[in-house]
Amino acid sequence: MPGAAAGAACGVGGGAAMLPAPEAAKLYHTNYVRNSRAIGVLWAIFTICFAIVNVVCFFQPYWIGDGVDTPQAGYFGLFQFCTEVGISRQVACVGSFADFAAIPSGAFQAASFLIGLSMVLIIACIVCFILFFFCSTATVYKICAWMQLAAAACLVLGCMIYPDGWDAEEVKKMCGEKTDKYTLGACSIRWAYILAIIGILDALILSFLAFVLGNRQDSLLAEELKLENKGWHLQSEVKLLWQSIEREAVMQIGGTKAMKDLVCFSQ
């Protein structure tokens, strides 16, 4: 008997701990929405960080630089290069993206264009955040995902094409005659080039996350629509049941009245 009582108590406690199915579904839906929003905020923050990285890589002339055995001190970027000038050995920088024809190599020109396009795409992606107030959330996520994927592709192509310009005369003056395409000679890779490679991985991860968030929003909308339809059908069923109850009550009242009239008539 004590064991049975304990078992009954456990059963009552377990039943009390469980939520009804509608409340459990509502709680799961609320947590689902909250987690999606938190992940979306993190995605937006890291997208802005990636845009900063992309801008820095585009403008900073520290893609390659001199080494211990280089005949001349200096460093190169995408469209700007800085080398020693005169007896004072001061480093002077030359080159601008606006003066596109003056970039010393066709490979450098192509890389500058691709990295610049990547920068424009990711800035446009950030501008698209405004669309969250006017359009479907899933649609905006997918638009940004494609932009980030395109930005990553531009970064990949830019980083692959850039070493093809290492045989330019300006690069050889700084890095030595052993410098050739995809061979730096006495020079070394600097931090901006490494940062651009890291940016590729960042863009790929962000685009994948945006696709996942967009698909989750689609499934979330489908679940909300399903719940709304289920609630509408339930309301319709309750209304029909109530109408049938009213009809039966009217019939019963009518039948009772008819019986009374019949008894009165017989008397």
Side-chain angles (χ1 to χ4, degrees):
M1 293 296 291
C10 291
V12 172
M18 294 180 62
L19 289 173
E23 293 184 9
K26 186 176 181 181
L27 181 62
Y28 172 77
H29 182 268
T30 303
N31 291 333
Y32 187 82
V33 172
R34 187 183 296 115
N35 293 335
S36 296
R37 287 176 179 174
I39 296 172
V41 170
L42 289 175
W43 169 82
I45 292 172
F46 283 113
T47 298
I48 295 171
C49 293
F50 170 64
I52 295 171
V53 168
N54 209 328
V55 171
V56 169
C57 291
F58 180 72
F59 285 104
Q60 290 298 317
Y62 297 101
W63 282 59
I64 58 174
D66 55 5
V68 178
D69 300 326
T70 52
Q72 191 179 21
Y75 36 87
F76 269 77
L78 290 169
F79 49 83
Q80 189 178 38
F81 59 96
C82 307
T83 54
E84 289 181 343
V85 177
I87 304 174
S88 62
R89 302 180 67 86
Q90 291 182 351
V91 176
C93 297
V94 179
S96 171
F97 187 75
D99 192 6
F100 197 74
I103 299 175
S105 171
F108 288 173
Q109 291 176 348
S112 300
F113 174 78
L114 288 168
I115 303 298
L117 181 59
S118 173
M119 180 183 67
V120 171
L121 283 169
I122 200 63
I123 292 174
C125 175
I126 294 174
V127 173
C128 285
F129 289 174
I130 302 173
L131 296 177
F132 280 115
F133 298 101
F134 306 104
C135 302
S136 169
T137 304
T139 303
V140 179
Y141 273 130
K142 290 176 181 178
I143 291 173
C144 291
W146 283 113
M147 284 185 174
Q148 290 170 341
L149 192 61
C154 291
L155 276 176
V156 169
L157 292 174
C159 290
M160 291 176 63
I161 293 172
Y162 183 75
D164 191 66
W166 289 349
D167 61 341
E169 289 298 325
E170 289 79 359
V171 180
K172 286 186 175 182
K173 289 178 182 178
M174 184 180 71
C175 301
E177 291 300 324
K178 292 183 179 180
T179 306
D180 202 355
K181 294 181 179 182
Y182 298 92
T183 304
L184 262 182
C187 288
S188 60
I189 293 174
R190 293 294 179 89
W191 59 267
Y193 200 167
I194 298 172
L195 194 62
I197 295 172
I198 295 173
I200 295 171
L201 300 176
D202 190 14
L204 291 174
I205 293 171
L206 288 172
S207 63
F208 173 76
L209 185 58
F211 277 122
V212 171
L213 288 170
N215 292 329
R216 289 187 70 177
Q217 289 294 324
D218 284 336
S219 62
L220 185 62
L221 291 174
E223 288 181 3
E224 289 179 352
L225 184 61
K226 186 176 179 181
L227 288 173
E228 288 179 1
N229 291 334
K230 185 176 180 181
W232 182 82
H233 286 302
L234 182 61
Q235 186 178 3
S236 300
E237 290 177 359
V238 170
K239 187 176 181 180
L240 290 174
L241 180 61
W242 181 253
Q243 289 176 353
S244 64
I245 292 171
E246 287 181 344
R247 193 179 301 112
E248 290 179 1
V250 169
M251 291 177 64
Q252 288 179 359
I253 292 171
T256 304
K257 186 177 180 181
M259 288 294 295
K260 287 182 179 180
D261 292 342
L262 182 61
V263 170
C264 290
F265 179 77
S266 62
Q267 289 176 355

